Each structure stands twice: as structure tokens, then as C-alpha cells.
Amino acid sequence: MPLPLVFGVDGSFQVIESPTPPYKALGFVKTALFRIDQPALAQLDRDSPHPYALRDILTDSALYHATVFPLRHIAISGMSVYDAVRQTIFESVKDPQLSGEAMETLKWIAYEKWNGGGRDLPPFECPHCESQNATLPYNEEKGRCPDCGKELFITDMLGFHLEMAPDSAPDGVARDYMTIHETLLLFTGIRYFWEHNRDALRRSLFVKDGPLRIRAQYSKLVEPIRRFLAMARDAGIQVCVLGQEKSGAFADHLALIGDSAPIGSVFVPGHQYIREQIQHRPVAGAPYGKDTNYGAKVFVRLTDRHKMTLNIPTGEFVQDPTVANLIGAPQIFATLPTLLSSRYEDGLLPVELANAVASLSTYPSVQILTLFAESKAQGHAGKPSSP
Ligand SMILES: [Zn+2]
């Protein structure tokens, strides 16, 4: 039986930089979480879904988040760019448009609040004095560094400041914020059902555009996420989460091997195969994805026209996963055929819808962004979206 409740999450970012000195730069990030029920999916014209039909479906069932960061050469009274970005990240995660739910989710993951007890925050590097002992009391959003006494935000735990200089932040800060916020939106849905309606959680599929991966220092959220998914599975609730990768080394590899795979086949590559055949790197060293991925890579050839690179969680890390390790695999594979888009050969409707949402006027146009940046700047898209 296909899962009747399908949620999609997506984000995009754009950096606008003025082409002349002092090269002011702003980073814009938007993310969305939306719900598409099977009846709505069934009504959609799969050959050419009209953008306004999509909008109607999504109007009453979507959460939107948008924010802007000063990245370079933007004056904020009394504050360095470094502190302004830290502050903006903290305030953005608390976004009142989302009733603070994304912040609740960050706390839920960081303090592992699902099992009733919770845990202390692991120590992180203080953004002020570089002490490695920075932490916060249980469930707090703000506090003081035990060594220098300056203010800490829970979002400092993620380590955005490790990539910033006092007066500039790289474009990557906007991209990494987008990834973190997409993950928080995804788990806001999961947390809500976990707390209020576990039966609905059993009937839901959460679909994310892109890999189930959080890179570098931000990967601190990966272990708690794995522990939650494993704990829920062991408690009898298969939380169904799916990522789709449409670009990158894994998608390129699928393009090579996909056409010769039998229809209806599923291939879950292990560490050695990924290192040798996809990354072309030595097999020795850390197991692939151990620190950063909360989903295993899964190649699927569903029909003669639909082949996909998916990510599906396994709970605890598995170096060489099989289909049996994939959480909710039977439910997910039963739902996939209902999500196929005939317009986009290898696309899943929730992902295509997310991209369509991103192109609707609920988001500022590049022109407005440019106006906002006070110059005739050329923007470059962080992530391409479909027309
Ligand atoms: Zn300190």
C-alpha cells in the first residue's frame, strides 16, 4: 500500500554581489516544507502540471522560510559581519513565521529530547575565545561561554563561525544554512507526528530534494538523527525518509549503469564499490559517509523511463547496507510509483513540485533581490530550479 501522506522539502540560495568595490554581498536563502496527499497527486496532470494548479494544491499545506545574510562589506551598526551572521542564523532558526518550530526541532535533535531524558550538548568551539569547552545548559537556546563569559547561541554549536573571518563570510555559509534548515523542516514534520500522532507518522513519507547528508562541522546533527531513526524503528515505527540526488557523482554513475539494469531492480552500493567505482579513490580509510550521511545510497530502476539515485536511512551507520537495512523500504518502494512524474523522466513529483514552488511569486525575484542589494549586481543561483 502506498503511503497516503507525502511531504516534500526543498531549499535554494542565491548570493548577490555588487560588481564594483566594495563588493557588497548578501546571501538569500529560502526553504519550504509542503504536504501533498495521494488524492491531490492523483488529480495532477502528470504530463504538464500547471504551475497555478500546483500553487492551489500547495497554498494551504506549505510552510515557507526565507532569510538574508550579510556576507561581505555590509555595515551593521556596532557589529562585525561575523557576529551579524551568527545573530542572523540564530534569529532565522527562531523564525516566528514558523512559530519557532524549526528552533524547537534543532533543540529536539541537539538535546535528543525524544526519549524523555535528553542529553547535554557535546562541547563545541566558542566563537569568541576559541575555547573547546563551550556548551549550554540542557534545553537552552542561549548561554555564556564558561571560559570567556560571552554570549553563545545554540546555533553556534553547528560551527558556522569556523568558516568566517571577522568581516566576511563565504558564500558557503548561505548554502550550509540552507542544508541545515531543510533538515530542520524535514524533522519538524517528523517531530510533530512523533509527539502528537504516531499513527500519522507510520503513514507518512518525507521526500527531500538532494542527499541525506550534512557536511563538515555541521554533521554534528547526523549522529542524533541516526539514533532517533534507529530508536523509532526499534519501537515499531518505520520513519520513511527519502532523498533524491539528481546531480553529482552518484547520479553520473547511475547514468552509466542504469540502462543495463533490469526494470524493477534496486542496487545498494557498499563502501568498496563507492570508493572504487564512483569516487575512484582508495578503499582504505574511513568508511564512506560514516560522519556525514544519514541515508544509504540506493540506485533504483523503476520503469524503462524512470531510474533514480535515492538516499534512504538505515538508522545506525552501516558500511555495506542491503535493502533489509533500509528503514521503511517496503512502504517506500510501494509509494514510489505514485510519485513518478511523466514530464521529468527521472523526477519524483514532490521534488518537481518543490522546484515549481521555488519559481512562484511567493519568493522574491532576482530583480527584487538585486534592488535589495543596492546595486546592478549579477546573481548566481546556488541551486538550479526547474522552470
Ligand atoms: Zn569563550
mmCIF file of all heavy atoms in Angstrom, residues 62-109:
data_model
loop_
_atom_site.group_PDB
_atom_site.id
_atom_site.type_symbol
_atom_site.label_atom_id
_atom_site.label_comp_id
_atom_site.label_asym_id
_atom_site.label_seq_id
_atom_site.Cartn_x
_atom_site.Cartn_y
_atom_site.Cartn_z
ATOM 1 N N ALA A 62 1.632 24.393 3.050
ATOM 2 C CA ALA A 62 3.072 24.587 2.949
ATOM 3 C C ALA A 62 3.563 25.572 4.001
ATOM 4 O O ALA A 62 2.841 26.474 4.414
ATOM 5 C CB ALA A 62 3.437 25.099 1.555
ATOM 6 N N LEU A 63 4.779 25.345 4.442
ATOM 7 C CA LEU A 63 5.471 26.272 5.332
ATOM 8 C C LEU A 63 6.646 26.851 4.557
ATOM 9 O O LEU A 63 7.401 26.105 3.939
ATOM 10 C CB LEU A 63 6.027 25.536 6.552
ATOM 11 C CG LEU A 63 5.063 24.902 7.530
ATOM 12 C CD1 LEU A 63 5.848 24.122 8.579
ATOM 13 C CD2 LEU A 63 4.225 25.979 8.198
ATOM 14 N N TYR A 64 6.774 28.167 4.593
ATOM 15 C CA TYR A 64 7.878 28.802 3.874
ATOM 16 C C TYR A 64 8.789 29.527 4.851
ATOM 17 O O TYR A 64 8.348 30.077 5.847
ATOM 18 C CB TYR A 64 7.349 29.823 2.865
ATOM 19 C CG TYR A 64 6.417 29.244 1.850
ATOM 20 C CD1 TYR A 64 5.044 29.358 2.008
ATOM 21 C CD2 TYR A 64 6.919 28.580 0.738
ATOM 22 C CE1 TYR A 64 4.178 28.816 1.076
ATOM 23 C CE2 TYR A 64 6.067 28.044 -0.206
ATOM 24 C CZ TYR A 64 4.690 28.159 -0.034
ATOM 25 O OH TYR A 64 3.852 27.626 -0.955
ATOM 26 N N HIS A 65 10.049 29.541 4.502
ATOM 27 C CA HIS A 65 11.027 30.255 5.315
ATOM 28 C C HIS A 65 11.977 30.978 4.367
ATOM 29 O O HIS A 65 12.406 30.408 3.371
ATOM 30 C CB HIS A 65 11.805 29.257 6.178
ATOM 31 C CG HIS A 65 13.009 29.829 6.856
ATOM 32 N ND1 HIS A 65 12.919 30.734 7.892
ATOM 33 C CD2 HIS A 65 14.330 29.634 6.643
ATOM 34 C CE1 HIS A 65 14.143 31.059 8.298
ATOM 35 N NE2 HIS A 65 15.020 30.412 7.559
ATOM 36 N N ALA A 66 12.260 32.232 4.665
ATOM 37 C CA ALA A 66 13.227 32.973 3.847
ATOM 38 C C ALA A 66 14.052 33.851 4.756
ATOM 39 O O ALA A 66 13.551 34.374 5.757
ATOM 40 C CB ALA A 66 12.499 33.820 2.810
ATOM 41 N N THR A 67 15.325 33.980 4.443
ATOM 42 C CA THR A 67 16.170 34.847 5.252
ATOM 43 C C THR A 67 17.297 35.415 4.391
ATOM 44 O O THR A 67 17.500 34.984 3.261
ATOM 45 C CB THR A 67 16.720 34.091 6.487
ATOM 46 O OG1 THR A 67 17.294 35.034 7.395
ATOM 47 C CG2 THR A 67 17.759 33.065 6.101
ATOM 48 N N VAL A 68 17.970 36.406 4.931
ATOM 49 C CA VAL A 68 19.075 37.022 4.186
ATOM 50 C C VAL A 68 20.236 37.276 5.146
ATOM 51 O O VAL A 68 20.029 37.676 6.298
ATOM 52 C CB VAL A 68 18.613 38.318 3.483
ATOM 53 C CG1 VAL A 68 17.987 39.289 4.455
ATOM 54 C CG2 VAL A 68 19.766 38.997 2.754
ATOM 55 N N PHE A 69 21.446 36.962 4.685
ATOM 56 C CA PHE A 69 22.647 37.160 5.487
ATOM 57 C C PHE A 69 23.528 38.249 4.888
ATOM 58 O O PHE A 69 23.715 38.281 3.675
ATOM 59 C CB PHE A 69 23.522 35.891 5.489
ATOM 60 C CG PHE A 69 22.848 34.697 6.041
ATOM 61 C CD1 PHE A 69 22.331 33.738 5.203
ATOM 62 C CD2 PHE A 69 22.748 34.517 7.408
ATOM 63 C CE1 PHE A 69 21.705 32.609 5.708
ATOM 64 C CE2 PHE A 69 22.132 33.403 7.926
ATOM 65 C CZ PHE A 69 21.612 32.447 7.069
ATOM 66 N N PRO A 70 24.104 39.101 5.724
ATOM 67 C CA PRO A 70 25.175 39.965 5.219
ATOM 68 C C PRO A 70 26.410 39.080 5.069
ATOM 69 O O PRO A 70 26.781 38.389 6.012
ATOM 70 C CB PRO A 70 25.368 40.974 6.349
ATOM 71 C CG PRO A 70 24.941 40.253 7.584
ATOM 72 C CD PRO A 70 23.915 39.226 7.176
ATOM 73 N N LEU A 71 27.013 39.024 3.907
ATOM 74 C CA LEU A 71 28.201 38.167 3.765
ATOM 75 C C LEU A 71 29.492 38.988 3.748
ATOM 76 O O LEU A 71 30.461 38.641 4.404
ATOM 77 C CB LEU A 71 28.102 37.300 2.498
ATOM 78 C CG LEU A 71 27.009 36.225 2.506
ATOM 79 C CD1 LEU A 71 26.961 35.494 1.166
ATOM 80 C CD2 LEU A 71 27.217 35.223 3.633
ATOM 81 N N ARG A 72 29.472 40.076 2.989
ATOM 82 C CA ARG A 72 30.702 40.872 2.896
ATOM 83 C C ARG A 72 30.377 42.358 2.703
ATOM 84 O O ARG A 72 29.495 42.700 1.939
ATOM 85 C CB ARG A 72 31.556 40.400 1.707
ATOM 86 C CG ARG A 72 32.100 38.994 1.914
ATOM 87 C CD ARG A 72 32.926 38.504 0.738
ATOM 88 N NE ARG A 72 32.126 38.160 -0.436
ATOM 89 C CZ ARG A 72 31.430 37.023 -0.584
ATOM 90 N NH1 ARG A 72 31.404 36.135 0.381
ATOM 91 N NH2 ARG A 72 30.757 36.784 -1.692
ATOM 92 N N HIS A 73 31.139 43.192 3.393
ATOM 93 C CA HIS A 73 31.107 44.641 3.182
ATOM 94 C C HIS A 73 29.725 45.245 3.358
ATOM 95 O O HIS A 73 29.317 46.132 2.610
ATOM 96 C CB HIS A 73 31.680 45.000 1.801
ATOM 97 C CG HIS A 73 33.007 44.383 1.573
ATOM 98 N ND1 HIS A 73 34.127 44.720 2.300
ATOM 99 C CD2 HIS A 73 33.404 43.380 0.746
ATOM 100 C CE1 HIS A 73 35.144 43.974 1.914
ATOM 101 N NE2 HIS A 73 34.735 43.145 0.986
ATOM 102 N N ILE A 74 28.985 44.705 4.318
ATOM 103 C CA ILE A 74 27.689 45.285 4.668
ATOM 104 C C ILE A 74 27.848 45.809 6.098
ATOM 105 O O ILE A 74 28.234 45.047 6.989
ATOM 106 C CB ILE A 74 26.570 44.220 4.655
ATOM 107 C CG1 ILE A 74 26.503 43.491 3.309
ATOM 108 C CG2 ILE A 74 25.238 44.851 5.034
ATOM 109 C CD1 ILE A 74 25.835 44.256 2.193
ATOM 110 N N ALA A 75 27.567 47.081 6.275
ATOM 111 C CA ALA A 75 27.737 47.655 7.611
ATOM 112 C C ALA A 75 26.504 47.380 8.466
ATOM 113 O O ALA A 75 25.383 47.630 8.047
ATOM 114 C CB ALA A 75 27.970 49.158 7.483
ATOM 115 N N ILE A 76 26.701 46.831 9.635
ATOM 116 C CA ILE A 76 25.632 46.672 10.622
ATOM 117 C C ILE A 76 26.124 47.378 11.879
ATOM 118 O O ILE A 76 27.173 47.022 12.411
ATOM 119 C CB ILE A 76 25.334 45.191 10.915
ATOM 120 C CG1 ILE A 76 24.857 44.496 9.648
ATOM 121 C CG2 ILE A 76 24.280 45.036 12.000
ATOM 122 C CD1 ILE A 76 25.845 43.578 9.050
ATOM 123 N N SER A 77 25.377 48.366 12.330
ATOM 124 C CA SER A 77 25.897 49.230 13.382
ATOM 125 C C SER A 77 26.366 48.440 14.596
ATOM 126 O O SER A 77 25.615 47.636 15.157
ATOM 127 C CB SER A 77 24.827 50.246 13.797
ATOM 128 O OG SER A 77 23.674 49.549 14.199
ATOM 129 N N GLY A 78 27.575 48.666 14.973
ATOM 130 C CA GLY A 78 28.114 48.090 16.192
ATOM 131 C C GLY A 78 28.421 46.607 16.135
ATOM 132 O O GLY A 78 28.687 45.997 17.158
ATOM 133 N N MET A 79 28.344 46.014 14.956
ATOM 134 C CA MET A 79 28.542 44.570 14.882
ATOM 135 C C MET A 79 29.472 44.210 13.730
ATOM 136 O O MET A 79 29.394 44.808 12.654
ATOM 137 C CB MET A 79 27.190 43.901 14.612
ATOM 138 C CG MET A 79 26.734 42.953 15.690
ATOM 139 S SD MET A 79 25.354 41.976 15.097
ATOM 140 C CE MET A 79 24.091 42.545 16.183
ATOM 141 N N SER A 80 30.339 43.250 13.955
ATOM 142 C CA SER A 80 31.131 42.727 12.845
ATOM 143 C C SER A 80 30.230 41.841 11.987
ATOM 144 O O SER A 80 29.171 41.390 12.444
ATOM 145 C CB SER A 80 32.302 41.900 13.378
ATOM 146 O OG SER A 80 31.802 40.796 14.102
ATOM 147 N N VAL A 81 30.643 41.576 10.741
ATOM 148 C CA VAL A 81 29.891 40.639 9.901
ATOM 149 C C VAL A 81 29.793 39.286 10.612
ATOM 150 O O VAL A 81 28.749 38.640 10.635
ATOM 151 C CB VAL A 81 30.558 40.490 8.503
ATOM 152 C CG1 VAL A 81 30.011 39.268 7.769
ATOM 153 C CG2 VAL A 81 30.335 41.743 7.675
ATOM 154 N N TYR A 82 30.913 38.903 11.225
ATOM 155 C CA TYR A 82 30.993 37.636 11.973
ATOM 156 C C TYR A 82 29.855 37.511 12.982
ATOM 157 O O TYR A 82 29.106 36.519 12.982
ATOM 158 C CB TYR A 82 32.354 37.640 12.678
ATOM 159 C CG TYR A 82 32.750 36.418 13.473
ATOM 160 C CD1 TYR A 82 33.415 35.359 12.858
ATOM 161 C CD2 TYR A 82 32.523 36.348 14.846
ATOM 162 C CE1 TYR A 82 33.824 34.260 13.594
ATOM 163 C CE2 TYR A 82 32.939 35.251 15.590
ATOM 164 C CZ TYR A 82 33.586 34.202 14.959
ATOM 165 O OH TYR A 82 33.992 33.121 15.693
ATOM 166 N N ASP A 83 29.691 38.538 13.822
ATOM 167 C CA ASP A 83 28.628 38.471 14.826
ATOM 168 C C ASP A 83 27.248 38.683 14.215
ATOM 169 O O ASP A 83 26.267 38.103 14.691
ATOM 170 C CB ASP A 83 28.887 39.476 15.943
ATOM 171 C CG ASP A 83 29.979 38.985 16.885
ATOM 172 O OD1 ASP A 83 30.066 37.750 17.090
ATOM 173 O OD2 ASP A 83 30.755 39.809 17.397
ATOM 174 N N ALA A 84 27.181 39.493 13.145
ATOM 175 C CA ALA A 84 25.885 39.718 12.496
ATOM 176 C C ALA A 84 25.378 38.426 11.860
ATOM 177 O O ALA A 84 24.178 38.124 11.925
ATOM 178 C CB ALA A 84 26.005 40.819 11.442
ATOM 179 N N VAL A 85 26.279 37.653 11.253
ATOM 180 C CA VAL A 85 25.853 36.386 10.653
ATOM 181 C C VAL A 85 25.430 35.401 11.740
ATOM 182 O O VAL A 85 24.400 34.735 11.626
ATOM 183 C CB VAL A 85 26.963 35.780 9.752
ATOM 184 C CG1 VAL A 85 26.612 34.359 9.315
ATOM 185 C CG2 VAL A 85 27.201 36.656 8.535
ATOM 186 N N ARG A 86 26.207 35.342 12.825
ATOM 187 C CA ARG A 86 25.838 34.455 13.940
ATOM 188 C C ARG A 86 24.444 34.796 14.463
ATOM 189 O O ARG A 86 23.605 33.928 14.686
ATOM 190 C CB ARG A 86 26.845 34.574 15.085
ATOM 191 C CG ARG A 86 28.187 33.923 14.824
ATOM 192 C CD ARG A 86 29.104 34.085 16.041
ATOM 193 N NE ARG A 86 28.445 33.677 17.261
ATOM 194 C CZ ARG A 86 28.248 34.464 18.333
ATOM 195 N NH1 ARG A 86 28.682 35.717 18.337
ATOM 196 N NH2 ARG A 86 27.626 34.001 19.397
ATOM 197 N N GLN A 87 24.222 36.105 14.666
ATOM 198 C CA GLN A 87 22.934 36.573 15.167
ATOM 199 C C GLN A 87 21.810 36.247 14.178
ATOM 200 O O GLN A 87 20.725 35.799 14.565
ATOM 201 C CB GLN A 87 23.006 38.091 15.383
ATOM 202 C CG GLN A 87 21.724 38.720 15.888
ATOM 203 C CD GLN A 87 21.733 38.918 17.392
ATOM 204 O OE1 GLN A 87 22.766 39.248 17.961
ATOM 205 N NE2 GLN A 87 20.594 38.690 18.018
ATOM 206 N N THR A 88 22.087 36.482 12.878
ATOM 207 C CA THR A 88 21.067 36.234 11.854
ATOM 208 C C THR A 88 20.701 34.753 11.802
ATOM 209 O O THR A 88 19.524 34.400 11.663
ATOM 210 C CB THR A 88 21.566 36.693 10.469
ATOM 211 O OG1 THR A 88 21.983 38.050 10.556
ATOM 212 C CG2 THR A 88 20.470 36.576 9.419
ATOM 213 N N ILE A 89 21.706 33.894 11.912
ATOM 214 C CA ILE A 89 21.436 32.451 11.891
ATOM 215 C C ILE A 89 20.539 32.077 13.074
ATOM 216 O O ILE A 89 19.536 31.373 12.919
ATOM 217 C CB ILE A 89 22.761 31.650 11.891
ATOM 218 C CG1 ILE A 89 23.435 31.781 10.522
ATOM 219 C CG2 ILE A 89 22.513 30.177 12.244
ATOM 220 C CD1 ILE A 89 24.844 31.245 10.459
ATOM 221 N N PHE A 90 20.881 32.586 14.246
ATOM 222 C CA PHE A 90 20.089 32.287 15.445
ATOM 223 C C PHE A 90 18.645 32.778 15.289
ATOM 224 O O PHE A 90 17.684 32.024 15.485
ATOM 225 C CB PHE A 90 20.749 32.926 16.667
ATOM 226 C CG PHE A 90 19.986 32.743 17.947
ATOM 227 C CD1 PHE A 90 19.893 31.485 18.537
ATOM 228 C CD2 PHE A 90 19.365 33.815 18.574
ATOM 229 C CE1 PHE A 90 19.189 31.300 19.730
ATOM 230 C CE2 PHE A 90 18.659 33.641 19.752
ATOM 231 C CZ PHE A 90 18.575 32.384 20.331
ATOM 232 N N GLU A 91 18.499 34.061 14.887
ATOM 233 C CA GLU A 91 17.154 34.624 14.741
ATOM 234 C C GLU A 91 16.377 33.920 13.632
ATOM 235 O O GLU A 91 15.157 33.741 13.724
ATOM 236 C CB GLU A 91 17.225 36.132 14.453
ATOM 237 C CG GLU A 91 17.858 36.960 15.564
ATOM 238 C CD GLU A 91 17.060 36.943 16.868
ATOM 239 O OE1 GLU A 91 15.870 36.596 16.843
ATOM 240 O OE2 GLU A 91 17.663 37.270 17.924
ATOM 241 N N SER A 92 17.071 33.532 12.554
ATOM 242 C CA SER A 92 16.389 32.886 11.422
ATOM 243 C C SER A 92 15.858 31.521 11.809
ATOM 244 O O SER A 92 14.749 31.136 11.409
ATOM 245 C CB SER A 92 17.346 32.743 10.226
ATOM 246 O OG SER A 92 17.785 34.008 9.798
ATOM 247 N N VAL A 93 16.637 30.766 12.591
ATOM 248 C CA VAL A 93 16.164 29.446 13.015
ATOM 249 C C VAL A 93 14.948 29.601 13.927
ATOM 250 O O VAL A 93 14.060 28.759 13.950
ATOM 251 C CB VAL A 93 17.302 28.631 13.678
ATOM 252 C CG1 VAL A 93 16.769 27.350 14.318
ATOM 253 C CG2 VAL A 93 18.376 28.280 12.651
ATOM 254 N N LYS A 94 14.879 30.752 14.645
ATOM 255 C CA LYS A 94 13.712 31.016 15.501
ATOM 256 C C LYS A 94 12.513 31.578 14.735
ATOM 257 O O LYS A 94 11.474 31.854 15.333
ATOM 258 C CB LYS A 94 14.086 32.028 16.598
ATOM 259 C CG LYS A 94 14.928 31.447 17.706
ATOM 260 C CD LYS A 94 15.442 32.539 18.648
ATOM 261 C CE LYS A 94 14.363 33.140 19.518
ATOM 262 N NZ LYS A 94 14.014 32.262 20.642
ATOM 263 N N ASP A 95 12.654 31.740 13.426
ATOM 264 C CA ASP A 95 11.656 32.357 12.548
ATOM 265 C C ASP A 95 10.222 32.316 13.096
ATOM 266 O O ASP A 95 9.600 31.261 13.158
ATOM 267 C CB ASP A 95 11.692 31.637 11.191
ATOM 268 C CG ASP A 95 10.783 32.292 10.152
ATOM 269 O OD1 ASP A 95 10.074 33.263 10.501
ATOM 270 O OD2 ASP A 95 10.804 31.847 8.996
ATOM 271 N N PRO A 96 9.669 33.486 13.485
ATOM 272 C CA PRO A 96 8.295 33.499 14.014
ATOM 273 C C PRO A 96 7.255 33.066 12.983
ATOM 274 O O PRO A 96 6.174 32.609 13.363
ATOM 275 C CB PRO A 96 8.085 34.964 14.438
ATOM 276 C CG PRO A 96 9.173 35.745 13.793
ATOM 277 C CD PRO A 96 10.300 34.804 13.497
ATOM 278 N N GLN A 97 7.574 33.196 11.693
ATOM 279 C CA GLN A 97 6.654 32.712 10.640
ATOM 280 C C GLN A 97 6.398 31.220 10.806
ATOM 281 O O GLN A 97 5.365 30.707 10.393
ATOM 282 C CB GLN A 97 7.269 32.941 9.253
ATOM 283 C CG GLN A 97 7.417 34.395 8.891
ATOM 284 C CD GLN A 97 6.208 34.895 8.119
ATOM 285 O OE1 GLN A 97 5.064 34.647 8.510
ATOM 286 N NE2 GLN A 97 6.458 35.599 7.037
ATOM 287 N N LEU A 98 7.381 30.521 11.332
ATOM 288 C CA LEU A 98 7.235 29.085 11.570
ATOM 289 C C LEU A 98 6.926 28.828 13.045
ATOM 290 O O LEU A 98 7.105 27.717 13.535
ATOM 291 C CB LEU A 98 8.514 28.347 11.175
ATOM 292 C CG LEU A 98 9.007 28.521 9.734
ATOM 293 C CD1 LEU A 98 10.314 27.768 9.519
ATOM 294 C CD2 LEU A 98 7.961 28.024 8.739
ATOM 295 N N SER A 99 6.486 29.883 13.751
ATOM 296 C CA SER A 99 6.163 29.785 15.179
ATOM 297 C C SER A 99 7.305 29.199 15.999
ATOM 298 O O SER A 99 7.074 28.521 17.008
ATOM 299 C CB SER A 99 4.908 28.922 15.389
ATOM 300 O OG SER A 99 3.895 29.306 14.512
ATOM 301 N N GLY A 100 8.531 29.424 15.551
ATOM 302 C CA GLY A 100 9.674 28.921 16.301
ATOM 303 C C GLY A 100 9.857 27.412 16.214
ATOM 304 O O GLY A 100 10.686 26.833 16.925
ATOM 305 N N GLU A 101 9.104 26.753 15.349
ATOM 306 C CA GLU A 101 9.132 25.284 15.287
ATOM 307 C C GLU A 101 10.492 24.740 14.838
ATOM 308 O O GLU A 101 10.914 23.677 15.276
ATOM 309 C CB GLU A 101 8.027 24.764 14.360
ATOM 310 C CG GLU A 101 6.617 24.986 14.891
ATOM 311 C CD GLU A 101 6.310 24.191 16.155
ATOM 312 O OE1 GLU A 101 6.904 23.119 16.341
ATOM 313 O OE2 GLU A 101 5.480 24.658 16.946
ATOM 314 N N ALA A 102 11.172 25.469 13.939
ATOM 315 C CA ALA A 102 12.482 24.983 13.480
ATOM 316 C C ALA A 102 13.483 24.989 14.632
ATOM 317 O O ALA A 102 14.308 24.081 14.772
ATOM 318 C CB ALA A 102 12.990 25.823 12.306
ATOM 319 N N MET A 103 13.390 26.022 15.496
ATOM 320 C CA MET A 103 14.259 26.067 16.681
ATOM 321 C C MET A 103 13.930 24.910 17.624
ATOM 322 O O MET A 103 14.825 24.258 18.165
ATOM 323 C CB MET A 103 14.105 27.413 17.394
ATOM 324 C CG MET A 103 14.870 27.505 18.717
ATOM 325 S SD MET A 103 16.667 27.260 18.536
ATOM 326 C CE MET A 103 17.191 28.896 17.982
ATOM 327 N N GLU A 104 12.635 24.649 17.810
ATOM 328 C CA GLU A 104 12.250 23.518 18.662
ATOM 329 C C GLU A 104 12.841 22.217 18.116
ATOM 330 O O GLU A 104 13.265 21.345 18.877
ATOM 331 C CB GLU A 104 10.722 23.409 18.758
ATOM 332 C CG GLU A 104 10.101 24.455 19.662
ATOM 333 C CD GLU A 104 10.724 24.480 21.056
ATOM 334 O OE1 GLU A 104 10.848 23.406 21.669
ATOM 335 O OE2 GLU A 104 11.117 25.567 21.518
ATOM 336 N N THR A 105 12.860 22.106 16.793
ATOM 337 C CA THR A 105 13.397 20.889 16.181
ATOM 338 C C THR A 105 14.909 20.803 16.363
ATOM 339 O O THR A 105 15.452 19.725 16.641
ATOM 340 C CB THR A 105 13.022 20.838 14.687
ATOM 341 O OG1 THR A 105 11.598 20.860 14.578
ATOM 342 C CG2 THR A 105 13.561 19.574 14.024
ATOM 343 N N LEU A 106 15.595 21.945 16.224
ATOM 344 C CA LEU A 106 17.047 21.939 16.452
ATOM 345 C C LEU A 106 17.344 21.481 17.880
ATOM 346 O O LEU A 106 18.241 20.649 18.104
ATOM 347 C CB LEU A 106 17.635 23.331 16.190
ATOM 348 C CG LEU A 106 19.126 23.491 16.519
ATOM 349 C CD1 LEU A 106 19.981 22.519 15.686
ATOM 350 C CD2 LEU A 106 19.592 24.929 16.283
ATOM 351 N N LYS A 107 16.581 21.996 18.835
ATOM 352 C CA LYS A 107 16.782 21.596 20.227
ATOM 353 C C LYS A 107 16.435 20.116 20.435
ATOM 354 O O LYS A 107 17.122 19.395 21.162
ATOM 355 C CB LYS A 107 15.941 22.472 21.164
ATOM 356 C CG LYS A 107 16.503 23.888 21.288
ATOM 357 C CD LYS A 107 15.476 24.873 21.807
ATOM 358 C CE LYS A 107 15.022 24.560 23.216
ATOM 359 N NZ LYS A 107 14.047 25.571 23.701
ATOM 360 N N TRP A 108 15.387 19.682 19.771
ATOM 361 C CA TRP A 108 14.933 18.287 19.881
ATOM 362 C C TRP A 108 16.038 17.333 19.398
ATOM 363 O O TRP A 108 16.289 16.293 20.008
ATOM 364 C CB TRP A 108 13.683 18.136 19.019
ATOM 365 C CG TRP A 108 12.933 16.854 19.114
ATOM 366 C CD1 TRP A 108 12.135 16.448 20.142
ATOM 367 C CD2 TRP A 108 12.850 15.836 18.112
ATOM 368 N NE1 TRP A 108 11.580 15.228 19.835
ATOM 369 C CE2 TRP A 108 11.988 14.825 18.603
ATOM 370 C CE3 TRP A 108 13.412 15.677 16.839
ATOM 371 C CZ2 TRP A 108 11.680 13.678 17.867
ATOM 372 C CZ3 TRP A 108 13.118 14.543 16.109
ATOM 373 C CH2 TRP A 108 12.258 13.551 16.626
ATOM 374 N N ILE A 109 16.703 17.735 18.306
ATOM 375 C CA ILE A 109 17.789 16.892 17.774
ATOM 376 C C ILE A 109 19.047 17.047 18.633
ATOM 377 O O ILE A 109 19.650 16.064 19.065
ATOM 378 C CB ILE A 109 18.103 17.251 16.302
ATOM 379 C CG1 ILE A 109 16.900 16.951 15.396
ATOM 380 C CG2 ILE A 109 19.335 16.480 15.814
ATOM 381 C CD1 ILE A 109 17.068 17.431 13.959
#
